[in-house]
Amino acid sequence: MNNVLQLKGTLNKRKSGGRPGPPNMPNRKGASVDVARLDKLKSDLVVLSSFWENVTLIDGALVDVHYTTVVAKSNRISEIFCAGEKQKSNDSIVGARFIDADTSKPKHIITHYISTSIIKDSVNKLELCKNILNTEYGGEIKHDDITKIKSKDIKFKEYGISETAFLNVVVDSYYVSSFDLPKNSANATGEQLITLYKTNEDAVDVLKKIGIDTLGKGLSETTLLLYPDDIKTLQDKAPYLIAMAVENISELSLEDIVASPGSAEHDIPRIPDPENEPVVGVIDTLFDSRVYFSKWVDYVPMVSKDIIDPSDPKDLKDYSHGTAVSSIIVDGHNINPDLDDGCGRFRVKHFGVVGSQPFSSFTVIKNIQEIVNQNPNIKVWNLSLGSTKEINGNFISPEAAALDQIQCESDVIFVVAGTNKPDNRSESMLIGAPADSINSIVVNSVSKSGNHASYSRTGRVLSFFNKPDVSAIGGDGGNNDSKVRVCEPNGEAFVSGTSFAAPWIARKLAYLIEVLGLSREVAKALIVDAAADWNDTGNNQAIAPVIGHGTVPIKVSDIIKSKDDEIKFIMSGTSELYDTYAYNLPVPVTKGAHPFVAKATLCYFPECSPNQGVDYTDTELDVSIGRIAKLRVKDGIPQYGINTINKNVQTVSGNWTKESDARKLFRKWDNTKHIREKFGESLRPRKAYESGMWGVSVKRKERLDKKKPVRFGLVVTLKEVDGINRIDDFMQQARLANWVVSEVNVEAQVDIYQRLQEEVTFE
């Protein structure tokens, strides 16, 4: 086995040198904009203008823009709703969702918050453009007409609009089918977490105006807890303000916990006292401190004594789940010898936030935010709580949004259970909150034989994001041998569920981060890469929604080592400008060719915007890796770049990729990307080009024009097609190319960790 290599060196950075060309609609048969289309859009806006002129609750207007397809940022409206340099159309977006999301042709609906004067200006622009179409183009304009517009010498000043504004309105209109009033709703039969569209008015003040008191009910700037009477008031007086609504009271998706008869007093495992082992945070049901490993757990009960008295465990159901989860993290490898991962034991700081009864999402979210803020030393958190209810396809749950925000702002990572189907549910069922968290590692369960568990629920999230991320053994089947052995209040128990798959991943992450000293970005990428192996499960949408990128190997050594015919190396960096790149990766050459196939996994933790709906992640990092090649000749000068292993040409000049294809084929906007060359039996060396070098590039795009640096972790694996171990050649050549190359040596890193934990006494 080869050790994983860590490459450190100069990653170059550059701004985007490309400039967008003039606006135009696609050059395809039937693509055109006619007067009827402009008239329809104008009529919609006239109706909306009349409505909002009579609304005094907020200063401005909320407008839904219905698109004809899933649109890229560059194809969102640019001139309609634009107020010059002081406000671009993109700046006014406050929501996005899909219609027909479960079909082959989903469509965007994007909500804008604009002034009523902008609506009137847009009506005027459409009317002026109508006049030009009628007079200059016989009522209809096509792609070629726009290309040749200069030759027509149109006197745009006489029409009262500039050429640029005219073209932008036409192209905007090509992608837009209609304008409408937002029409979301909330269920007034129970407590709801209501998110309002962000406006210039404070959400609390707006609700006060219609008689709703929100004191102490705020979860975020725009999300509040409302009761049925308040919801009815909001629905009656201002339904257009509602961006999304979810029920506050959730029922726990608890698993099958079966105590082994007569085991409470027998076969108690032996465990030494804890020393300076790493600490994993657990947020779960309550913990029973009478168990054999209690010295390893720092227990913090957070449930009100009015609900459950944590000092008097009368109902063991309130303690069974949390105690069992912590037993795996502390001593799982010892009580399950067949699942020994080689990570050793971990200490646990266990926060009991709920019992076994239905819980308040509002309270749990508040608790999690407080817990993480007060425990900055804990980097890995296990959250095996989940809702029985299915996620919504058009927005992230408040629980998941809170986790994503925490992970964006703090250097922590959550491992979240993928939730389970009830025993009486045979048909497919979507995962439950907070398993829709994009930044977290979401874990589904497989049986010990490797099949996905019978109780598995499925992704995807927001009709697009791959969730779960990975799977691990969580037990399945009727006998104890097929389940996971745990300790619960009465002693030994045998269990199954995603709650007992997630802790195995939490253990591995804690080992990678705390013991080996890797960043969370690299650690997550290693976990996903190991699960994917040389299969393409994560990009197979028939399988990925159930098991993610695949099943993570039991042994941590299979994650941090590679086979003798593989070279696996890790890189990390920070994306600040458009392109972060290196063109000097010396992949060994023999007989004029690189005898390798390659794969790569990229992970990063982007800032997310719940009020952007389905366009949830603010930042896109697109990874390219491959041979440095002459891609084209421009003005007689060869243009060199990366011949990507997955044929990704999104960012290659002169190429155009539909937004739907970019998402489907290259996972655009997904924060976990796994790319590869085709892998099969007939593997052939790849021709080495002039420099003999490979390159890696991470290109950045922004939805909201934010410039916050984003850290990333990258894992690259090269597999030798003839089975030869060439790692020494690679290390030598990489050092000659000015890379600092080090092996991730487990024994050495464990020794360093232990020395760092030693207490030094000064005399």
Side-chain angles (χ1 to χ4, degrees):
M1 298 285 282
N2 291 329
N3 287 328
V4 170
L5 305 178
Q6 189 164 31
L7 265 59
K8 294 183 179 180
T10 301
L11 291 177
N12 303 290
K13 300 180 181 182
R14 68 180 179 92
K15 297 179 180 179
S16 175
R19 294 183 178 179
N24 206 336
M25 65 190 78
N27 185 14
R28 65 167 68 108
K29 185 178 180 180
S32 67
V33 171
D34 58 19
V35 169
R37 168 67 67 89
L38 298 185
D39 221 18
K40 166 68 167 61
L41 299 181
K42 175 189 166 186
S43 176
D44 290 345
L45 291 178
V46 169
V47 172
L48 288 169
S49 178
S50 176
F51 174 85
W52 286 107
E53 286 291 340
N54 296 308
V55 173
T56 59
L57 191 58
I58 60 172
D59 180 21
L62 291 161
V63 178
D64 272 356
V65 181
H66 290 247
Y67 287 89
T68 58
T69 185
V70 175
V71 290
K73 176 183 174 182
S74 57
N75 291 330
R76 293 174 175 178
I77 57 174
S78 62
E79 184 64 36
I80 301 175
F81 297 171
C82 177
E85 290 300 321
K86 64 181 180 180
Q87 181 176 310
K88 302 294 186 182
S89 291
N90 200 55
D91 298 336
S92 61
I93 293 175
V94 293
R97 60 191 189 276
F98 289 139
I99 55 170
D100 301 329
D102 55 350
T103 70
S104 61
K105 294 183 178 180
K107 302 176 183 66
H108 254 126
I109 299 177
I110 296 180
T111 306
H112 290 252
Y113 172 60
I114 54 178
S115 67
T116 53
S117 62
I118 287 180
I119 296 181
K120 292 178 179 178
D121 288 344
S122 298
V123 169
N124 184 53
K125 289 176 185 176
L126 287 164
E127 180 63 28
L128 296 176
C129 292
K130 255 180 62 182
N131 294 338
I132 295 174
L133 282 196
N134 277 324
T135 305
E136 305 288 347
Y137 291 99
E140 183 180 32
I141 189 169
K142 300 180 180 180
H143 175 276
D144 289 348
D145 296 325
I146 293 176
T147 302
K148 301 171 184 176
I149 194 167
K150 294 292 185 185
S151 63
K152 284 189 71 72
D153 194 27
I154 299 172
K155 309 299 182 186
F156 284 97
K157 283 189 177 180
E158 296 179 5
Y159 286 103
I161 192 171
S162 69
E163 177 185 313
T164 300
F166 167 72
L167 292 178
N168 283 333
V169 169
V170 167
V171 175
D172 286 353
S173 302
Y174 173 79
Y175 290 102
V176 176
S177 62
S178 64
F179 299 106
D180 204 351
L181 191 69
K183 294 175 181 176
N184 298 314
S185 62
N187 185 348
T189 60
E191 297 176 18
Q192 298 267 305
L193 288 171
I194 304 291
T195 298
L196 305 184
Y197 286 115
K198 185 175 175 57
T199 68
N200 291 340
E201 309 287 330
D202 183 272
V204 172
D205 292 340
V206 171
L207 293 179
K208 278 184 180 178
K209 290 180 182 178
I210 58 176
I212 298 175
D213 179 17
T214 60
L215 184 63
K217 301 174 186 175
L219 188 60
S220 68
E221 187 181 6
T222 56
T223 300
L224 305 103
L225 174 63
L226 297 185
Y227 298 111
D229 288 347
D230 295 332
I231 296 169
K232 187 175 186 308
T233 299
L234 179 61
Q235 291 270 46
D236 291 343
K237 297 185 177 180
Y240 46 79
L241 292 178
I242 301 172
M244 60 184 182
V246 294
E247 292 184 30
N248 176 49
I249 302 301
S250 297
E251 187 175 344
L252 280 172
S253 172
L254 294 177
E255 287 73 18
D256 172 19
I257 301 180
V258 181
S260 181
S263 64
E265 302 297 331
H266 302 284
D267 197 24
I268 297 175
R270 296 176 181 272
I271 189 168
D273 288 344
E275 294 180 354
N276 290 311
E277 292 82 3
V279 178
V280 174
V282 171
I283 300 172
D284 213 287
T285 65
L286 308 186
F287 176 76
D288 193 326
S289 298
R290 299 171 297 172
V291 294
Y292 78 97
F293 61 95
S294 62
K295 287 185 179 180
W296 287 74
V297 178
D298 179 7
Y299 176 44
V300 182
M302 299 189 71
V303 176
S304 169
K305 290 185 178 181
D306 295 335
I307 301 174
I308 302 170
D309 184 355
S311 64
D312 184 20
K314 293 177 181 176
D315 191 347
L316 295 183
K317 286 191 297 184
D318 294 325
Y319 297 79
S320 295
H321 187 270
T323 305
V325 166
S326 280
S327 74
I328 295 175
I329 292 177
V330 171
D331 205 28
H333 66 300
N334 183 40
I335 58 180
N336 295 274
D338 58 329
L339 302 180
D340 186 356
D341 51 18
C343 295
R345 292 185 175 93
F346 296 91
R347 290 178 292 155
V348 164
K349 191 162 186 181
H350 185 120
F351 296 86
V353 297
V354 295
S356 60
Q357 301 304 312
F359 63 95
S360 163
S361 296
F362 179 84
T363 302
V364 169
I365 294 169
K366 287 285 191 182
N367 283 339
I368 292 174
Q369 291 169 335
E370 177 186 339
I371 288 167
V372 176
N373 286 337
Q374 293 180 357
N375 294 273
N377 59 311
I378 299 177
K379 302 301 180 185
V380 178
W381 293 88
N382 189 94
L383 186 58
S384 286
L385 299 177
S387 172
T388 56
K389 296 183 176 68
E390 295 179 284
I391 58 172
N392 188 294
N394 272 319
F395 53 79
I396 291 288
S397 69
E399 299 98 319
L403 297 186
D404 289 336
Q405 182 180 7
I406 289 169
Q407 290 170 102
C408 177
E409 296 174 349
S410 305
D411 185 24
V412 301
I413 184 167
F414 277 86
V415 182
V416 179
T419 64
N420 315 301
K421 289 193 295 188
D423 290 339
N424 59 358
R425 178 82 177 247
S426 58
E427 65 272 22
S428 177
M429 184 178 182
L430 289 174
I431 56 177
D436 53 333
S437 167
I438 301 303
N439 281 331
S440 302
I441 289 189
V442 176
V443 184
N444 254 15
S445 183
V446 293
S447 66
K448 290 187 177 181
S449 61
N451 298 316
H452 70 81
S454 59
Y455 48 80
S456 295
R457 292 165 71 174
T458 66
R460 296 175 287 176
V461 172
L462 299 180
S463 307
F464 166 71
F465 290 100
N466 270 338
K467 292 291 168 179
D469 294 275
V470 296
S471 291
I473 292 175
D476 198 14
N479 59 69
N480 286 351
D481 289 341
S482 65
K483 296 178 182 290
V484 177
R485 188 185 185 213
V486 298
C487 178
E488 51 103 29
N490 275 337
E492 180 184 55
F494 293 86
V495 300
S496 60
T498 57
S499 284
F500 311 112
W504 296 106
I505 303 303
R507 286 171 54 85
K508 292 179 174 67
L509 278 173
Y511 188 84
L512 296 173
I513 294 171
E514 300 285 8
V515 178
L516 299 187
L518 301 175
S519 70
R520 61 173 182 166
E521 291 81 12
V522 167
K524 182 177 180 180
L526 280 168
I527 292 284
V528 171
D529 191 79
D533 196 31
W534 285 97
N535 303 308
D536 201 18
T537 305
N539 296 317
N540 182 339
Q541 290 311 310
I543 305 172
V546 183
I547 65 171
H549 287 275
T551 301
V552 179
I554 292 174
K555 297 289 186 183
V556 73
S557 58
D558 291 332
I559 297 173
I560 52 180
K561 290 181 179 292
S562 61
K563 296 176 182 177
D564 288 340
D565 63 348
E566 293 178 353
I567 301 169
K568 181 183 288 189
F569 60 89
I570 57 179
M571 303 173 68
S572 57
T574 302
S575 174
E576 297 175 286
L577 302 178
Y578 169 69
D579 193 7
T580 303
Y581 66 96
Y583 289 168
N584 60 334
L585 292 176
V587 177
V589 177
T590 179
K591 297 180 181 180
H594 303 284
F596 295 95
V597 289
K599 63 171 183 167
T601 302
L602 176 81
C603 288
Y604 61 102
F605 292 74
E607 191 168 350
C608 300
S609 297
N611 65 348
Q612 293 289 307
V614 293
D615 293 344
Y616 178 63
T617 50
D618 294 348
T619 303
E620 152 72 359
L621 297 186
D622 178 40
V623 62
S624 298
I625 186 167
R627 295 165 288 169
I628 299 298
K630 181 171 67 177
L631 300 181
R632 62 195 179 106
V633 177
K634 183 178 181 181
D635 300 327
I637 302 174
Q639 305 291 307
Y640 290 88
I642 298 174
N643 185 352
T644 59
I645 63 173
N646 64 333
K647 309 303 179 187
N648 183 357
V649 294
Q650 289 181 85
T651 55
V652 177
S653 179
N655 288 279
W656 180 76
T657 306
K658 288 172 61 178
E659 179 74 3
S660 56
D661 288 341
R663 295 185 182 210
K664 179 180 178 181
L665 300 176
F666 307 119
R667 305 306 304 160
K668 183 180 179 183
W669 300 109
D670 199 337
N671 61 331
T672 298
K673 292 183 173 67
H674 182 74
I675 64 173
R676 62 181 54 243
E677 289 180 286
K678 287 187 177 180
F679 185 81
E681 294 181 359
S682 57
L683 302 178
R684 296 180 301 161
R686 271 52 172 170
K687 177 183 177 182
Y689 296 119
E690 297 170 22
S691 69
M693 292 289 182
W694 283 40
V696 60
S697 169
V698 176
K699 292 187 173 68
R700 173 176 181 157
K701 303 180 185 73
E702 294 291 336
R703 273 200 173 105
L704 303 176
D705 301 319
K706 296 179 180 179
K707 301 299 179 185
K708 182 177 179 180
V710 177
R711 296 187 304 171
F712 61 84
L714 179 66
V715 178
V716 179
T717 308
L718 307 170
K719 190 171 188 67
E720 221 277 354
V721 298
D722 297 316
I724 300 172
N725 191 342
R726 299 185 186 274
I727 194 168
D728 290 336
D729 293 342
F730 177 80
M731 292 172 67
Q732 180 191 38
Q733 292 173 32
R735 286 169 178 145
L736 287 173
N738 295 319
W739 290 98
V740 176
V741 183
S742 59
E743 296 184 61
V744 180
N745 187 299
V746 176
E747 291 76 15
Q749 288 298 128
V750 170
D751 183 59
I752 291 171
Y753 174 81
Q754 290 175 344
R755 289 178 182 273
L756 289 173
Q757 303 309 311
E758 291 178 358
E759 293 185 10
V760 178
T761 303
F762 294 95
E763 295 183 358

